[in-house]
């Protein structure tokens, strides 16, 4: 296939199948462009994640560890306690994730809502982390039958570039479960399989000799003649005297910093420093450029961002500083005559959320980084050059230490004409990883992509039917209202007591019908006759859409009534989860006929089409009507909570101090604050208060709840605050620590002062 045809096929695999996909290709084949186009065109709810902060920033996504709340360490795909597998190394398991690192409600809602997970720079992703993602999605979706909980996974990257980082002690644990540390050896992919799509046309290089040499380097078959051809471009002493408007690519950070620092100091002019403006949550690991940018007139710099307004510069464009005044920066762009006065650019750190009104997946900006989009660029590391293109560069890879580094460095150039070697290429440092080479051969044994696409589309139809007309997740969620967590939520008004029961009965009464209906649709798909399939599906969708509309109306009324009472936060959050499940399933039921028609007829799917708009309009109508309707029909109650009074005796008032004893017992069983709060139907802040009292009484130790550095930092702030109160201490941290955490440290401070 031609590259454009491959890109179209890849997009159809994403939009018209549920197959997992590995999209790869040599440097410059258009993977990044594909991702940007897909993000604006796919009809599926998706999130974009990447292994590192910078990779996430470049992909306009979030880091894997932040989205899935994964602890640092090695994940083992077993359900045993982590202590059974390691004596001291950081190890976590399925059991550990569920018990010690549970997902919070916000992230759980996001994971329940997605249909597509996009992982960029997947070459850096370890197999164990992908299996941890698999477990998180299964748990969030309550679907343990399918890999990734039924979510489609699109993995983008070039395995011949940066490999995953695995230390020796980590591999000694992982090797019992994995053939290699690369993502393709994850157990989840072994379970689900995936389609291998490689983009082959290189848009960066047009030099046939250079392309051949790069391919040979990539495939570990570089000949003596290839190395000799490269080494013709070696220039002695070039590292000692930087060439104007030419960047040096080197393997180590210290070497790049050394070259840049020496070159800047050699300029006998005044230095100016420009400080970044950081607002909100923007971790240091995501800083795109230095917070303190030190520059001089004559300095060589590189842009690290595209100019989206005027198109004057792009990521990797070189320039020379021509004027500085401490406020503004003026540069001459390489290859251009007109000077450019720079402006600061903004980078955004975001998180994915589900809007509680629309129930749609959204991006929320949680922090920003403002700085001039340049950095000193007499030298950069090979690592940071990924994604960049240069007409000319000095390649200094004599100390290459990772497979593929030489290939990555050389592939930044457009042609051999622009190559200058600072050190000769040593054949011993150019090898690619053997696991990667073996894996790449799978493409040659894979079934034809068009055949896979046809099979994938048929399978997708089964998936759409199975997903849309399976209401077991709804009845399971509704059934949780009987748990201990809601034992105290029994309203005085009978209609409020039976609201969820009535909704549950509606769906339980449809179990037999939906099973029969699904079998009919499966049979029609198998027969391959589109007309009766679409007719039957259209009628069924209309019937079940009405069921959901009625159920959602009843749920909205109940939620509006509950909102009028006090002490219902836990129960109301439970209702929000039901709302999300009903709304997602209602959308699936409403849209399944349209999606099926598009797949069968090979049409593009419009994510803003009339069917999608009808679902949105119905929800907006519910939102506007439910509050007014609830006030008219508000249940009369003699109590602010709207609940029944408890009789004295066994269910009456608790003995003083009993609530702390219950929390203490759970803390000693290594339960987290969030887990205890959920089990007891209390807020996290209440349980933190229990912890503070128990610490003050000497029943628990502070290090059970926070590291020593954090407690010292809080204790110092308490001392500096003197008698200003706990609020002043909390405010001084600007959200870094909660009231509960400060109270815990204060309990230790008070306990110590009493002893003295």
């Amino acid at each position: 296939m031609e590259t454009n045809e491959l890109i179209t096929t890849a997009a159809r695999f994403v939009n018209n199948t549920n197959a997992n996909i590995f999209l790869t290709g040599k440097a410059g084949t258009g993977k990044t462009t594909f991702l940007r186009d897909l993000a604006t065109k796919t009809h599926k709810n998706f999130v974009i994640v990447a292994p590192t902060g910078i990779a996430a920033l470049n992909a306009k996504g979030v880091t894997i560890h932040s989205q899935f709340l994964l602890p640092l360490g090695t994940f083992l795909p077993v359900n045993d306690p982590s202590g059974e597998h390691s004596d001291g190394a950081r190890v976590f398991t399925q059991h550990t994730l569920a018990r010690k690192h549970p997902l919070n409600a916000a992230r759980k809602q996001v994971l329940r809502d997605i249909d597509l997970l996009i992982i960029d720079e997947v070459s850096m992703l370890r197999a164990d982390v992908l299996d941890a993602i698999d477990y998180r999605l299964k748990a969030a979706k309550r679907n343990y039958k399918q890999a990734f909980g039924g979510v489609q996974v699109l993995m983008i990257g070039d395995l011949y570039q940066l490999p995953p980082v695995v230390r020796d002690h980590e591999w000694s644990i992982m090797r019992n479960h994995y053939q290699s540390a690369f993502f393709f050896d994850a157990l989840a992919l072994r379970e689900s399989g995936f389609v291998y799509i490689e983009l082959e046309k290189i848009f960066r290089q047009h030099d046939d000799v250079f392309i051949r040499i790069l391919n040979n380097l990539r495939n570990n078959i570089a000949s003596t003649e290839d190395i000799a051809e490269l080494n013709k471009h070696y220039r002695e002493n070039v590292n000692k005297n930087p060439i104007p408007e030419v960047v040096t690519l080197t393997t180590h950070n210290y070497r790049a910093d050394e070259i840049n620092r020496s070159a800047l100091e050699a300029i006998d002019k005044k230095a100016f420093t420009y400080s970044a403006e950081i607002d909100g949550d923007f971790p240091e690991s995501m800083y795109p450029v230095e917070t303190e940018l030190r520059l001089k007139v004559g300095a060589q710099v590189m842009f690290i961002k595209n100019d989206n307004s005027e198109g004057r510069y792009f990521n990797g464009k070189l320039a020379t500083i021509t004027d500085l005044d401490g406020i503004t920066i003026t540069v001459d762009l390489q290859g251009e005559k007109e000077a450019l006065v720079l402006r600061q650019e903004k980078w955004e750190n975001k998180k994915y959320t589900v809007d509680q009104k629309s129930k749609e997946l959204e991006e929320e900006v949680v922090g920003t980084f403002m700085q001039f989009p340049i950095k000193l660029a007499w030298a950069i590391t090979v690592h940071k050059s990924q994604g960049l293109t240069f007409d000319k560069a000095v390649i200094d890879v004599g100390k290459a230490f990772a497979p593929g580094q030489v290939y990555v460095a050389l592939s930044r150039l457009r042609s051999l004409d622009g190559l200058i070697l600072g050190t000769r290429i040593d054949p011993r440092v150019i090898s690619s990883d053997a696991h990667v080479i073996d894996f790449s051969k799978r493409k040659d044994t894979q079934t034809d992509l068009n055949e896979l696409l046809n099979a994938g589309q048929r399978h997708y139809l089964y998936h759409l039917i199975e997903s849309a007309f399976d209401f077991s997740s709804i009845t399971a969620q509704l059934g949780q209202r009987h748990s201990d967590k809601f034992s105290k939520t029994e309203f005085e008004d009978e209609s409020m007591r039976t609201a969820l029961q009535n909704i549950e009965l509606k769906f339980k009464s449809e179990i037999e019908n939906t099973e029969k209906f699904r079998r009919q649709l499966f049979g029609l798909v198998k027969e391959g006759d589109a007309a009766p399939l679409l007719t039957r599906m259209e009628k069924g969708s209309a019937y079940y859409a009405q069921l959901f509309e009625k159920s959602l109306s009843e749920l909205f009324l109940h939620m509006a009534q509950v909102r009028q009472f006090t002490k219902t936060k836990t129960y109301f959050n439970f209702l929000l989860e039901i709302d999300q499940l009903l709304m997602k399933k209602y959308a699936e039921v409403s849209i399944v006929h349209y999606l099926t028609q598009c797949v069968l007829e090979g049409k593009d799917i419009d994510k803003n089409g009339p069917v999608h708009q009808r679902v949105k309009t119905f929800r907006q109508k519910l939102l506007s009507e439910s509050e007014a309707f609830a006030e008219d029909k508000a249940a009369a109650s003699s109590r602010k909570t709207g609940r029944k009074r408890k009789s004295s005796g066994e269910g009456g008032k608790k003995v003083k101090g009993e609530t702390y004893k219950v929390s203490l017992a759970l803390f000693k069983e290594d339960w987290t604050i969030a887990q205890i709060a959920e089990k007891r139907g209390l807020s996290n802040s209440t349980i933190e208060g229990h912890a503070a009292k128990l610490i003050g009484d000497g029943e628990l130790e502070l290090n059970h709840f926070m590291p020593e550095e954090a407690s010292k930092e809080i204790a110092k702030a308490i001392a500096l605050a003197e008698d200003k109160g706990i609020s002043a201490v909390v405010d001084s941290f600007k959200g870094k620590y909660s009231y509960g955490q400060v109270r815990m440290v204060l309990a230790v401070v008070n306990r110590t002062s009493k002893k003295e």
Side-chain angles (χ1 to χ4, degrees):
M1 284 189 186
E2 293 294 322
T3 297
N4 289 338
E5 188 181 353
L6 277 168
I7 289 173
T8 301
T9 300
R12 291 189 68 192
F13 266 106
V14 173
N15 288 316
N16 293 6
T17 81
N18 199 44
N20 296 326
I21 304 156
F22 172 48
L23 180 71
T24 187
K26 304 178 183 70
T29 51
K31 299 183 296 296
T32 301
T33 302
F34 174 82
L35 172 57
R36 288 173 183 163
D37 288 346
L38 179 69
T40 63
K41 294 177 182 177
T42 183
H43 65 95
K44 297 182 178 181
N45 288 342
F46 68 90
V47 298
I48 302 173
V49 297
T52 67
I54 295 298
L57 206 60
N58 291 337
K60 300 187 184 302
V62 299
T63 64
I64 287 169
H65 282 75
S66 67
Q67 181 59 58
F68 292 94
L69 285 183
L70 300 178
L72 295 177
T74 303
F75 175 76
L76 297 183
V78 295
N79 200 27
D80 313 319
S82 56
E84 296 182 12
H85 298 273
S86 174
D87 297 324
R90 287 183 171 177
V91 171
F92 59 103
T93 65
Q94 296 171 358
H95 179 276
T96 314
L97 283 182
R99 293 291 299 273
K100 294 185 178 181
H101 306 282
L103 285 173
N104 59 31
R107 284 175 176 79
K108 195 181 294 183
Q109 283 190 355
V110 169
L111 298 185
R112 285 179 178 173
D113 203 54
I114 63 173
D115 313 301
L116 172 66
L117 174 67
I118 302 173
I119 305 175
D120 197 25
E121 297 291 2
V122 74
S123 70
M124 294 186 282
L125 179 64
R126 288 175 15 173
D128 62 322
V129 177
L130 188 55
D131 278 336
I133 292 171
D134 169 62
Y135 178 74
R136 280 296 204 210
L137 286 169
K138 284 176 175 175
K141 292 275 191 178
R142 294 195 182 93
N143 177 1
Y144 294 91
K145 296 182 296 184
Q146 295 175 284
F148 305 105
V151 172
Q152 183 183 29
V153 182
L154 169 63
M155 299 159 283
I156 302 175
D158 182 359
L159 283 169
Y160 289 88
Q161 299 201 20
L162 289 178
V165 177
V166 186
R167 296 173 178 84
D168 290 343
H169 72 275
E170 293 174 315
W171 180 242
S172 68
I173 301 168
M174 287 177 61
R175 66 189 307 165
N176 297 319
H177 301 271
Y178 298 102
Q179 294 179 6
S180 81
F182 288 97
F183 80 92
F184 50 75
D185 277 324
L187 304 188
L189 290 181
R190 190 183 303 172
E191 173 189 346
S192 66
F194 57 93
V195 176
Y196 190 127
I197 301 177
E198 182 171 358
L199 304 180
E200 296 178 339
K201 181 176 180 179
I202 301 174
F203 297 98
R204 180 177 289 143
Q205 286 98 20
H206 301 283
D207 179 335
D208 290 339
V209 174
F210 192 35
I211 290 173
R212 174 181 58 76
I213 293 174
L214 287 176
N215 286 338
N216 290 346
L217 286 171
R218 181 183 173 95
N219 296 321
N220 267 2
I221 56 173
S223 65
T224 304
E225 290 76 16
D226 292 333
I227 304 301
E229 182 63 36
L230 292 173
N231 283 330
K232 287 179 183 178
H233 297 265
Y234 169 68
R235 191 180 300 180
E236 193 171 359
N237 296 324
V238 71
N239 287 333
K240 295 179 181 179
N241 300 297
I243 303 172
E245 298 190 338
V246 175
V247 66
T248 294
L249 302 187
T250 188
T251 50
H252 291 75
N253 276 310
Y254 79 86
R255 178 63 182 144
D257 292 342
E258 183 181 85
I259 293 172
N260 287 325
R261 185 168 52 250
S262 297
L264 186 66
E265 293 306 319
I267 298 176
D268 187 19
K269 293 185 179 178
K270 181 181 178 180
F272 291 86
T273 300
Y274 298 82
S275 300
E277 297 174 22
I278 303 167
D279 185 41
D281 179 14
F282 206 104
E284 188 173 349
S285 62
M286 295 183 70
Y287 289 176
V289 69
E290 291 180 11
T291 55
E292 300 294 321
L293 192 57
R294 189 167 177 265
L295 301 170
K296 294 180 181 180
V297 170
Q300 179 167 295
V301 295
M302 176 189 295
F303 287 91
I304 49 94
K305 202 175 195 292
N306 294 335
D307 178 11
N308 295 321
S309 57
E310 299 178 26
R312 289 290 305 276
Y313 55 81
F314 53 83
N315 187 14
K317 176 81 171 178
L318 293 178
T320 302
I321 303 290
T322 56
D323 190 35
L324 298 169
D325 61 11
I327 298 174
T328 60
I329 301 174
T330 305
V331 302
D332 277 347
L333 299 170
Q334 185 183 51
E336 297 185 27
K337 295 180 180 179
E338 187 178 346
L340 175 67
V341 178
L342 301 187
R343 62 178 181 277
Q344 287 190 325
E345 292 277 4
K346 180 190 289 185
W347 288 264
E348 295 178 339
N349 178 30
K350 66 184 182 182
K351 68 178 182 180
Y352 293 100
T353 62
V354 174
D355 183 85
Q356 295 308 317
K357 286 189 175 182
S358 67
K359 287 300 172 187
E360 293 185 352
L361 194 63
E362 294 186 340
E363 297 175 0
E364 177 186 346
V365 176
V366 295
T368 58
F369 184 102
M370 289 279 293
Q371 180 60 292
F372 290 99
I374 56 174
K375 63 182 177 182
L376 293 177
W378 285 283
I380 62 171
T381 62
V382 175
H383 183 167
K384 292 177 181 176
S385 74
Q386 286 198 113
L388 303 182
T389 302
F390 302 108
D391 291 320
K392 182 178 287 188
V394 174
I395 306 296
D396 181 17
V397 289
K399 295 183 179 179
F401 58 89
Q405 270 190 324
V406 174
Y407 166 76
V408 173
L410 291 170
S411 63
R412 301 306 93 200
L413 288 164
R414 296 185 188 277
S415 72
L416 278 171
D417 292 338
L419 173 62
I420 303 168
L421 288 181
T423 51
R424 288 187 174 86
I425 300 293
D426 184 344
R428 292 172 297 180
V429 300
I430 62 172
S431 64
S432 297
D433 192 284
H435 290 288
V436 171
I437 294 173
D438 288 343
F439 170 72
S440 299
K441 293 176 182 176
R442 295 188 194 181
K443 184 194 68 165
D444 300 328
T445 61
Q446 180 176 257
T447 304
D448 178 74
L449 281 178
N450 286 325
E451 290 182 34
L452 286 174
L453 180 60
N454 290 332
Q457 288 175 323
R458 176 172 291 242
H459 186 270
Y460 187 47
L461 296 181
Y462 287 113
H463 169 77
L464 289 173
I465 294 166
E466 178 70 33
S467 178
F469 302 109
D470 177 9
F471 309 143
S472 58
S473 60
I474 295 172
T475 54
Q477 181 72 15
L478 287 165
Q480 288 193 11
R481 74 183 190 279
H482 302 299
S483 67
D484 292 341
K485 183 166 59 174
F486 305 117
S487 60
K488 294 183 288 185
T489 308
E490 189 172 0
F491 296 101
E492 284 185 301
D493 182 74
E494 184 179 359
S495 66
M496 293 188 71
R497 289 201 303 273
T498 59
L500 294 187
Q501 178 184 349
N502 292 339
I503 296 173
E504 183 180 12
L505 288 174
K506 281 187 179 70
F507 286 101
K508 282 189 171 179
S509 68
E510 292 290 343
I511 290 175
E512 188 175 338
N513 286 339
T514 52
E515 287 181 354
K516 182 179 178 181
F517 183 61
R518 281 202 308 272
R519 286 197 298 271
Q520 290 176 347
L521 295 180
F522 288 154
L524 291 170
V525 172
K526 189 174 182 180
E527 290 172 10
D529 195 342
L533 171 64
L534 291 172
T535 300
R536 189 77 185 93
M537 186 176 284
E538 186 175 23
K539 291 179 180 178
S541 294
Y543 171 79
Y544 286 112
Q546 288 183 351
L547 170 67
F548 276 97
E549 288 175 359
K550 186 172 182 180
S551 299
L552 280 163
S553 297
E554 293 175 8
L555 177 66
F556 265 58
L557 171 60
H558 184 54
M559 290 171 70
Q561 290 174 316
V562 170
R563 197 182 289 118
Q564 296 176 41
F565 297 116
T566 61
K567 299 182 179 179
T568 57
K569 182 178 179 181
T570 300
Y571 180 66
F572 190 78
N573 287 339
F574 171 65
L575 296 180
L576 288 175
E577 290 190 29
I578 295 172
D579 178 22
Q580 183 190 18
L581 281 171
L582 285 177
M583 196 64 210
K584 183 165 180 60
K585 194 64 69 173
Y586 168 55
E588 288 180 3
V589 162
S590 301
I591 296 167
V592 65
H593 171 260
Y594 169 68
L595 293 183
T596 301
Q597 186 174 23
C598 288
V599 172
L600 289 172
E601 297 175 4
K603 295 180 179 177
D604 290 335
I605 297 169
D606 182 3
K607 62 181 177 182
N608 295 310
V611 184
H612 295 76
Q613 291 301 325
R614 184 169 65 81
V615 172
K616 292 180 182 180
T617 302
F618 172 72
R619 184 166 185 87
Q620 290 165 354
K621 179 183 175 185
L622 280 184
L623 287 167
S624 62
E625 292 179 353
S626 60
E627 285 294 342
F629 188 56
E631 289 176 8
D632 293 340
K633 299 286 185 180
S637 174
S638 60
R639 307 186 72 210
K640 290 182 179 180
T641 63
R643 299 174 186 166
K644 282 186 173 182
R645 291 184 183 274
K646 287 194 176 291
S647 60
S648 58
E650 185 178 344
K653 190 175 181 181
K654 293 185 180 295
V655 179
K656 185 178 180 180
E658 181 183 348
T659 187
Y660 298 102
K661 291 179 181 177
V662 174
S663 293
L664 176 61
L666 294 172
F667 278 130
K668 288 188 173 181
E669 291 179 15
D670 209 29
W671 285 52
T672 66
I673 286 172
Q675 289 169 330
I676 296 173
E678 185 174 359
K679 177 177 177 59
R680 301 194 62 193
L682 301 172
S683 66
N684 281 10
S685 60
T686 299
I687 302 302
E688 285 181 334
H690 291 182
K693 184 180 186 308
L694 293 166
I695 290 169
D697 292 342
E699 297 281 358
L700 291 172
E701 294 298 325
L702 181 60
N703 61 15
H704 185 90
F705 300 95
M706 65 182 74
E708 186 178 1
E709 312 91 82
S711 62
K712 284 182 177 179
E713 187 179 8
I714 295 172
K716 183 178 178 181
I718 291 172
L720 292 173
E722 297 180 346
D723 296 324
K724 293 179 182 177
I726 192 171
S727 295
V729 178
V730 175
D731 291 343
S732 71
F733 286 116
K734 298 181 179 179
K736 184 176 181 180
Y737 299 114
S738 68
Y739 274 86
Q741 289 171 306
V742 174
R743 287 173 65 189
M744 291 179 208
V745 178
L746 187 60
V748 174
V749 173
N750 291 338
R751 191 175 75 191
T752 305
S753 62
K754 285 179 183 178
K755 289 180 181 179
E756 295 172 352

